[in-house]
Amino acid sequence: MLPWKRVLRPLTALLLTAAVVTVPAATAAHADTAATSSSGWNDYSCKPSAAHPRPVVLVHGTLANSVDNWLALAPYLEDRGYCVFSFDYGQLQGVSVFYGLGPIDKSAEQLSAYVDKVLAATGAAKVDLVGHSQGGMMPRYYLKFLGGAAKVNALVGIAPDNHGTDLDGLTNLLPYFPGAADLISASTPGLADQIVGSAFLTKLNAGGDTVPGVHYTVIATKYDEVVTPYSSQFLSGPDVHNVLLQNLCALDLSEHALIGLTDRIAFHEVAGALDPAHATATTCASALS
């Protein structure tokens, strides 16, 4: 075995072991948060209003989950009258709390089933999807290949890796470590699927980025250190609105995680994308709205 593999395998095992060790406490916190989330967030008795007729399904990112990723955005949307839902996807056997690591096409199937569940509970005809990172890209597979376009009005991607990431060039080093790509694919296929040039992304983006009938919004930050280059997040198509946060507020320093976790300027832009008829201009002052 190559020396780097001797290091990588125990390191991977150590990380996964740490994740498993923290499962009892983290899962308890996860359950408590879900149970105490107020009406409208994962409340299946919530009925969409005339003002906001579509429920919003939040799609978390890689190594995140349906609660922690949305502790700020879910209440933000709920306070504005939306029925808000979130779910976990991409689970690896034996690993809890840290999701989005399974094959992305299978994760899209989980999204499909969950959207059907939300539509059945709320009686709505369509949902709107808001996703962070992988969660902003994965739904495009659902829209394109699993019939999702008939059930989705809008997809809002916050720092989505729509065309993959090179991690500031680090993925270009994989060919110099024989077997590394295969190890990543076998251990965490959801990560491998997000690398620039992967078979998954080649299939996803072949024939165009979008499908008819869905409104697309991409919200990116130039300080993104995970999905690089940040411009690769943007989509091309007839019904696409690409947004760079720093064009709205030059003072916004959010990077990949914060843009989805805490950035109220980004949240304001999300709200505008969900209800464009009543959208107001997003500025630095939106952080206080």
Side-chain angles (χ1 to χ4, degrees):
M1 181 182 293
L2 294 175
W4 70 268
K5 280 193 174 183
R6 296 195 189 101
V7 175
L8 183 58
R9 287 188 184 278
L11 177 59
T12 302
L14 178 62
L15 291 173
L16 291 176
T17 300
V20 172
V21 167
T22 61
V23 162
T27 302
H30 185 288
D32 289 343
T33 306
T36 58
S37 62
S38 55
S39 177
W41 185 12
N42 285 339
D43 174 8
Y44 292 94
S45 67
C46 184
K47 300 301 180 183
S49 65
H52 301 303
R54 293 176 301 276
V56 178
V57 175
L58 302 177
V59 190
H60 66 73
T62 308
L63 291 172
N65 60 60
S66 61
V67 174
D68 297 337
N69 209 145
W70 307 120
L71 290 174
L73 181 56
Y76 181 95
L77 295 176
E78 178 194 352
D79 289 345
R80 284 153 180 77
Y82 289 91
C83 292
V84 181
F85 300 88
S86 61
F87 75 111
D88 293 317
Y89 71 86
Q91 299 91 334
L92 290 181
Q93 185 174 1
V95 180
S96 297
V97 181
F98 304 102
Y99 302 132
L101 295 170
I104 298 182
D105 57 347
K106 300 302 181 184
S107 294
E109 293 176 5
Q110 292 180 280
L111 171 61
S112 177
Y114 189 73
V115 167
D116 287 347
K117 178 180 178 181
V118 170
L119 291 177
T122 61
K126 291 186 175 185
V127 302
D128 288 324
L129 302 177
V130 178
H132 179 215
S133 193
Q134 180 189 161
M137 174 271 289
M138 176 269 280
R140 292 179 49 228
Y141 190 94
Y142 164 57
L143 299 177
K144 195 169 187 178
F145 299 110
L146 303 179
K151 302 174 183 179
V152 174
N153 170 70
L155 169 61
V156 183
I158 306 171
D161 50 346
N162 281 315
H163 299 97
T165 179
D166 64 6
L167 287 174
D168 281 325
L170 288 178
T171 61
N172 296 328
L173 300 178
L174 286 174
Y176 297 98
F177 297 91
D182 291 340
L183 180 60
I184 294 172
S185 295
S187 303
T188 52
L191 295 181
D193 284 346
Q194 296 177 75
I195 296 174
V196 169
S198 71
F200 172 83
L201 288 169
T202 299
K203 177 180 178 179
L204 176 63
N205 293 313
D209 291 346
T210 64
V211 296
V214 180
H215 309 292
Y216 295 83
T217 298
V218 174
I219 304 171
T221 170
K222 69 179 184 181
Y223 299 113
D224 199 313
E225 78 288 16
V226 174
V227 181
T228 57
Y230 73 81
S231 58
S232 68
Q233 300 173 27
F234 295 140
L235 296 171
S236 297
D239 197 352
V240 171
H241 181 47
N242 291 315
V243 179
L244 182 64
L245 272 188
Q246 285 71 34
N247 289 341
L248 305 177
C249 175
L251 300 177
D252 194 321
L253 302 179
S254 289
E255 41 66 71
H256 183 78
L258 291 182
I259 189 177
L261 295 176
T262 63
D263 193 326
R264 290 178 70 91
I265 296 173
F267 295 174
H268 185 270
E269 195 67 15
V270 168
L274 295 176
D275 187 8
H278 300 96
T280 58
T282 300
T283 67
C284 292
S286 299
L288 305 176
S289 64

